[in-house]
Amino acid sequence: HDGLTGMVPQSQGEQRFIEEMARLHRHKIAFSIIVFAIENLDEITEKAGHEVGHTVLQGFASQVQQQLRITDTCSRYSLNKIMVVLPHTNLNQTRQACARLSTVLNQNQFVDIKPYTEFCFTVSVGYVEAREDSELDQLLIAAEAKGEKFYEFSVC
């Protein structure tokens, strides 16, 4: 597990993607990917320090994982981004899952630290359904595309 977030490492998230692609090719079973990005993590780290940035990421990662199904795989794939692989989930089901996750995460006050008055962090959420010719890098880019963002919210 990732020492900071407790999620599976990036390599295991990538492996899960490969497994789901094999199911898609062989059995035509849909799956999707959700990307969560803490947009202003650098700003938080700059203003409040690395420890606070780590605390924000840990709290957020923990909340995301608590809201997922046992079959979903959640991994950190860059400094401020979390990738979730949702097996047996088409685009419409992913849209519904994103709506539920965004609502729960937006309402949850899981960061107890208020290191400065205007402390907030902004999260963007994007998603995409895999196709038989999909590559992970392409799916991540598609999920993160500004025009394709499903939801963006701030937690203060």
Side-chain angles (χ1 to χ4, degrees):
H1 291 286
D2 179 81
L4 177 61
T5 62
M7 292 183 288
V8 299
Q10 180 178 352
S11 60
Q12 197 168 335
E14 292 170 357
Q15 181 60 39
R16 184 57 186 262
F17 169 79
I18 292 167
E19 292 166 2
E20 293 306 320
M21 283 300 293
R23 281 185 191 83
L24 178 60
H25 284 286
R26 186 167 185 178
H27 303 291
K28 309 297 184 225
I29 298 173
F31 78 98
S32 298
I33 291 177
I34 300 174
V35 175
F36 292 93
I38 300 176
E39 297 294 343
N40 62 332
L41 191 60
D42 289 340
E43 175 190 335
I44 292 167
T45 300
E46 192 176 291
K47 285 185 176 181
H50 288 289
E51 189 174 312
V52 172
H54 289 169
T55 300
V56 167
L57 185 59
Q58 285 171 333
F60 183 71
S62 174
Q63 287 297 311
V64 168
Q65 290 180 94
Q66 288 177 25
Q67 301 303 318
L68 297 174
R69 304 171 300 186
I70 195 166
T71 56
D72 300 333
T73 301
C74 186
S75 64
R76 183 172 167 204
Y77 86 93
S78 77
L79 292 176
N80 67 328
K81 296 176 184 165
I82 296 171
M83 174 183 77
V84 181
V85 178
L86 302 166
H88 302 275
T89 309
N90 64 31
L91 194 61
N92 189 44
Q93 292 166 322
T94 303
R95 186 177 296 115
Q96 292 170 3
C98 281
R100 183 182 53 78
L101 280 166
S102 296
T103 300
V104 169
L105 294 172
N106 195 25
Q107 292 172 352
N108 238 334
Q109 295 300 321
F110 50 85
V111 179
D112 296 330
I113 297 174
K114 293 281 188 189
Y116 53 92
T117 309
E118 66 277 357
F119 177 79
C120 292
F121 67 96
T122 303
V123 177
S124 63
V125 184
Y127 60 89
V128 63
E129 182 179 341
R131 293 189 232 158
E132 287 191 45
D133 62 345
S134 295
E135 293 183 17
L136 181 56
D137 291 344
Q138 294 170 337
L139 289 174
L140 293 172
I141 289 168
E144 292 182 75
K146 288 292 183 195
E148 300 298 319
K149 293 286 185 195
F150 171 73
Y151 196 66
E152 195 165 85
F153 60 89
S154 292
V155 177
C156 300

